Structures are given as C-alpha cells and as structure tokens.
Amino acid sequence: MIIKYNLNTSEPNYPIQAKGYYYTIFLVLIFSAFSEILLSQDIEYVTAKVKSGDGITNLLMRYGLDANSYNIDFIKENNSSKITSRNGLMVGEYYLLPIRIYKYNSKSIRTTLDISDYEFAKSIQNYNLKMHRKGLKSGDYRKDLILWLPLSMSSDSKKTSNQTKELKNLTSQVTEPLFGDNYKIVKIINHTLKDCIFYIVSGHGGVDPGAVGYKDGIELHEDEYAYDVSLRLARRLIEYGADVYVIVQDPNDGIRDDKYLKNSYDEFHIGNEAIPLQQNERLTRRTAIINELYNKNLSRGKNQYCIETHVDSRYTGKNVDIFFYYKDGNTDGKTMAENLMKTIKQKYEKAQPGRGYEGSVSSRGLYMLRNVKPTSVFIEIGNIQNPRDQIRIIEPNNRQAIANWLTDGIIYTISGKK
C-alpha cells in the first residue's frame, strides 16, 4: 500500500496491515438457518449454508454481492476443500463469503471502522439492514452489535482515494489512484513482506529529465521510464503486503502501457512538494524526506529499505545489463544487491537461454547511498542510448518483467523464498 505522507504534519497516517485468509478456526456461531460466523484468531467472515441448486454466482447474489472475479476467486480459494471438480458447491456445507465481520461499537459505523465518509458509512448501514430484512443476518447491527462489510465495497470505483486509504486495514485489496485507472486496484496476494517498509525513488524528475535517448525520432527521457518501472515495482511490493512510499510522484501518469512515454516536467516529491532544480538540493531534499519517514517509522519495528531506479547513459553506444550499487561497508545493502542481480541473471537464463548476463554489483559513494538511513540499493536499468537496451525499457512487458524480477529478488532476500 502507498502511504501518502504530508510533510507539513507531525505524524504520518499509519494503516494497519490487512491480515491474510489463512487461519485456525476456533469457534462457530450459528446466526440463522442460512448463515453462520466463523471466528478466528485474526479475522471473522460470514459463511453461508449452500442449498440445493446453489452455484457460486447465485450464492453471491443472494448475499448482495457481485459475481465478479474477485468474489468468485475468494470463494474458490478459501473453500478449496469443498469445491467440486466442476467448480460446484456441496449442498449442506458452509462456505466462507467475502464479507468481513466487525463488532459494532454502539456509536457509529464511522467510528467502528475508523472511516470519515458519511455516504460510504450509509451504504454499509443499508447493506446490513437489507441482509437483516432478508433473514440472512439474524439481528439488527444496532442491537446485536454485529456489523457486516463486503470486501468488494471498499474497492468501489466511486469512492475517493482517502476513503480507500482509510479502509486498507479492512480489505484484501487496496485502491491506489497513483497507479492509474487500469492498475489502481491492487489485490493482496499474501503478506510475505508485511514487516517491511519500502521507499521507492525514481531518478531525476520535475524540470530534470535525466539521461536522454532517441528512437525512431522520438526523445526518450530517463525520468519517465524509471518512474514507470518504479510504480510497477511499488505495486508488486504492495501485493505482498509491504508498506510503500513512492517518493517521486506524478498522478497524471500512472502505470503506462505505451512504448513511448510522454515527457513531462510536473513530477513532485511526496507531500506535493516541488522538486528542486539543482541536483545537490534535490538529492539533499530526497534524503531528508526519506530519513524523516524512517525515523517516524522506527517505532513500528519494521525493516526499512530504499530502492532507487535510474536509466544509464554514460556508456555511449554500449549495451549495458542491469547493474546495482550499494553503500560501501553496508552488508545488508550488498546482500540485497547481490540477490537482485542473481535473480535477474537466473530469469534471463530461463527466458533467453544462451543470452548471457553481464550485470554487476559494486559499492559506490553516491550521495543518497551514503546518507539515507534505510538499507539501500541503487539500480541502473540499462543504457537509454543503446538500441538493444532501449527495447528493455520501451516495451511495457519488459518494464513489468523488470519489476517482477526485482520483487522476486527482494522476497528472496527477506524471506529466503524463490
């Protein structure tokens, strides 16, 4: 999830991590002939007893849920032992539904769920009253203090980013408008990185485009392609439960599936702060932003990392594989950089046998590597002036592959899982 941080306030808005679906059920309470509540150590969900003729679609519709891919996948994934070979349901069995259960605090829905939007709270109230009228929920939430929240309600496209940020801790998917309309809904795969905080920095930005290359008469700017890879990486990290701060932002762009990314100069630092023109001032400010966040996040007891992306241009005409820098003497940074390189090398060997990979890992005294407090890795994606490297960055599938492979390397570094 992306935490939008307002540098003019004294405290960031820390979300509570959404918990996974895998748990030990220790109590079953039957609320009616049609439904029951499963209570676990972490999460409570509504379950429904399947009747003759029930399929996944009409079961969802009976509980006022859309038969979309998310809700269908939820039922299949969380009731796998009771799904028949033909994706059918077993009559008489209880099935976990994508409806979260909360203890109502007797005051208001907004204070119960820690949300601020009145209309959204009203829609939750209407849903609960409707389920009670239909006999699917045994009591009025104001009396039995049991409140239902369909997970899909929190990804409603009509809600604002503030509302979805408020509900990050309630759902198994989050909405982040910074990723753009096609990618803003992020489904949480698991929580492998739940104890991690990442600061993602794409190089240059604002009035500084960084390195410039040309292909087919079109000008390629480093900051646009580094930013797109960074957003894709941020999104993947969120899918694995990480907290992510995107330091350089451009809400007008989002993740783009174009080859030739439109060049702009309207990026800013997190907190709507203008990016300084002078490089020294820009690097100093980015370092200060990251360190300020790092210090405020120390009390959360999470591992903190900084990943910075660039596209190189120093090697005129030379093909350059992805290479990595770390802070001299920083063992953790060196380990992560080495694992990232090994992962990408293995991926290339599998995807393009015989291609060879000449990426490298080395220490370097770059300003941000020397001065940011989190464990840091600086990544050069390729040479923006080399035709072969240009394919690596202009093809959207390649940019996504880079983000995927970097995520795999990070996961391996932190959890040991390949």
Side-chain angles (χ1 to χ4, degrees):
M1 62 196 66
I2 292 178
I3 304 173
K4 302 287 183 60
Y5 185 78
N6 185 347
L7 295 172
N8 296 320
T9 62
S10 60
E11 295 292 337
N13 179 23
Y14 297 139
I16 301 172
Q17 285 285 347
K19 302 294 182 63
Y21 296 132
Y22 304 98
Y23 49 80
T24 302
I25 298 171
F26 67 88
L27 183 63
V28 177
L29 298 177
I30 299 177
F31 266 62
S32 71
F34 304 101
S35 66
E36 64 180 0
I37 297 174
L38 295 187
L39 301 182
S40 74
Q41 296 174 356
D42 296 319
I43 294 178
E44 302 174 28
Y45 289 107
V46 172
T47 64
K49 186 176 181 179
V50 169
K51 300 185 295 186
S52 178
D54 268 348
I56 295 178
T57 296
N58 56 332
L59 178 63
L60 288 169
M61 292 178 65
R62 186 158 74 244
Y63 280 81
L65 305 173
D66 292 331
N68 55 37
S69 59
Y70 173 76
N71 286 334
I72 291 174
D73 287 345
F74 180 98
I75 289 181
K76 289 181 178 179
E77 293 169 6
N78 293 282
N79 303 276
S80 57
S81 63
K82 293 179 285 188
I83 300 293
T84 69
S85 58
R86 296 185 177 182
N87 285 326
L89 306 180
M90 300 178 184
V91 176
E93 290 285 349
Y94 285 93
Y95 286 74
L96 203 66
L97 299 179
I99 306 173
R100 182 85 183 268
I101 299 171
Y102 294 87
K103 181 177 176 58
Y104 182 61
N105 66 5
S106 300
K107 297 178 181 178
S108 71
I109 290 176
R110 284 184 288 175
T111 56
T112 295
L113 300 179
D114 192 22
I115 61 177
S116 59
D117 188 81
Y118 174 80
E119 292 300 326
F120 183 42
K122 189 70 175 180
S123 67
I124 297 172
Q125 178 187 54
N126 291 338
Y127 175 81
N128 278 262
L129 295 177
K130 180 180 179 180
M131 291 300 102
H132 178 46
R133 288 195 302 270
K134 292 179 66 174
L136 297 174
K137 187 175 184 299
S138 62
D140 186 315
Y141 76 94
R142 293 164 294 194
K143 296 180 180 179
D144 64 14
L145 305 184
I146 298 297
L147 186 69
W148 289 6
L149 174 64
L151 298 184
S152 58
M153 289 184 73
S154 61
S155 61
D156 189 325
S157 61
K158 296 180 180 180
K159 282 186 280 298
T160 66
S161 59
N162 284 336
Q163 292 166 358
T164 53
K165 282 186 288 183
E166 289 174 326
L167 286 166
K168 280 198 275 279
N169 60 315
L170 309 181
T171 68
S172 59
Q173 66 182 42
V174 297
T175 301
E176 178 45 63
L178 191 62
F179 294 145
D181 289 341
N182 294 332
Y183 291 94
K184 64 183 179 182
I185 297 177
V186 186
K187 183 176 180 181
I188 308 303
I189 297 172
N190 61 47
H191 296 279
T192 301
L193 300 178
K194 66 181 177 64
D195 294 323
C196 301
I197 299 171
F198 291 89
Y199 307 98
I200 306 299
V201 187
S202 54
H204 307 277
V207 296
D208 178 14
V212 176
Y214 296 88
K215 185 173 178 60
D216 300 329
I218 297 174
E219 193 169 277
L220 311 177
H221 286 187
E222 173 185 5
D223 66 329
E224 302 295 340
Y225 290 93
Y227 181 63
D228 193 74
V229 172
S230 290
L231 286 187
R232 293 173 187 271
L233 173 60
R235 190 175 188 276
R236 289 291 286 162
L237 294 173
I238 293 170
E239 288 180 335
Y240 289 94
D243 289 348
V244 179
Y245 294 83
V246 176
I247 304 303
V248 176
Q249 301 184 359
D250 186 345
N252 297 323
D253 288 343
I255 294 173
R256 293 173 281 178
D257 288 326
D258 304 307
K259 284 187 176 182
Y260 301 110
L261 302 183
K262 182 180 179 181
N263 299 319
S264 64
Y265 303 90
D266 57 352
E267 296 86 7
F268 52 79
H269 285 156
I270 187 171
N272 294 315
E273 180 184 285
I275 296 177
L277 171 62
Q278 298 299 321
Q279 181 183 25
N280 290 341
E281 185 180 353
R282 181 169 63 245
L283 297 180
T284 299
R285 187 62 197 134
R286 286 181 186 176
T287 298
I289 290 171
I290 293 170
N291 288 343
E292 181 180 348
L293 292 168
Y294 175 89
N295 290 333
K296 288 184 177 295
N297 283 327
L298 281 175
S299 61
R300 302 175 66 193
K302 294 193 174 189
N303 300 313
Q304 301 188 54
Y305 304 91
C306 177
I307 308 294
E308 184 169 352
T309 61
H310 284 259
V311 186
D312 198 70
S313 66
R314 290 171 297 160
Y315 305 103
T316 303
K318 181 181 178 181
N319 172 229
V320 179
D321 276 326
I322 300 173
F323 59 98
F324 306 86
Y325 295 128
Y326 63 92
K327 178 182 177 179
D328 187 31
N330 188 295
T331 303
D332 291 339
K334 180 181 180 181
T335 298
M336 177 168 282
E338 289 176 341
N339 284 334
L340 290 175
M341 189 192 75
K342 290 177 183 177
T343 301
I344 287 180
K345 182 179 181 180
Q346 291 170 357
K347 298 292 186 179
Y348 267 128
E349 289 174 348
K350 183 177 181 180
Q352 301 179 36
R355 172 193 184 278
Y357 177 79
E358 298 180 354
S360 63
V361 172
S362 60
S363 63
R364 192 176 176 193
L366 298 172
Y367 182 88
M368 288 188 64
L369 282 176
R370 287 187 288 110
N371 292 285
V372 295
K373 294 182 179 181
T375 297
S376 303
V377 175
F378 185 107
I379 304 170
E380 291 281 8
I381 297 171
N383 182 359
I384 200 168
Q385 296 180 352
N386 177 268
R388 186 178 177 186
D389 286 4
Q390 287 174 345
I391 299 300
R392 186 184 304 147
I393 64 170
I394 68 171
E395 292 290 343
N397 288 341
N398 290 345
R399 297 198 296 270
Q400 186 61 54
I402 293 170
N404 293 346
W405 296 351
L406 291 174
T407 303
D408 290 344
I410 290 170
I411 290 174
Y412 175 67
T413 302
I414 293 169
S415 69
K417 298 178 181 178
K418 292 186 177 181

